Amino acid sequence: MKYLFIVQGEGRGHLTQAIALADILRRNGHEVCEVLLGKSKNRDIPEFFLKKIGCRVNCFDTLSFRLKKTKNTSTC
């Protein structure tokens, strides 16, 4: 079976899990054809992911977390 991965690349955990799953699938006779990778404008894709995923990676811009120091005035 052929697989297409869609991965949110904001955190590194998703990337390493995608590599592990791709390895498992390949060992069991499947093919990972391509990865669609959501990428924040503030971060680069780590080289280890591009080397280890073993297929074409297509990046697209995605939303990212923006941390802002504000005083919490919520009563919840």
Side-chain angles (χ1 to χ4, degrees):
M1 183 176 286
K2 292 183 178 186
Y3 287 87
L4 166 70
F5 282 9
I6 302 172
V7 180
Q8 173 57 32
E10 186 65 26
R12 299 307 183 230
H14 294 132
L15 299 177
T16 55
Q17 289 177 13
I19 292 168
L21 181 56
D23 289 343
I24 291 167
L25 289 170
R26 288 184 183 111
R27 282 195 310 265
N28 287 282
H30 302 287
E31 179 184 354
V32 179
C33 303
E34 184 175 346
V35 174
L36 301 179
L37 183 61
K39 181 189 166 307
S40 165
K41 293 179 182 179
N42 301 329
R43 295 184 102 171
D44 294 327
I45 302 304
E47 194 64 33
F48 79 86
F49 179 76
L50 299 173
K51 288 180 180 179
K52 292 188 175 222
I53 194 63
C55 64
R56 183 172 64 183
V57 176
N58 235 335
C59 296
F60 60 93
D61 289 338
T62 188
L63 300 175
S64 61
F65 295 107
R66 185 173 179 187
L67 302 176
K68 182 178 178 184
K69 291 183 178 184
T70 60
K71 187 174 181 175
N72 186 357
T73 58
S74 174
T75 58
C76 297

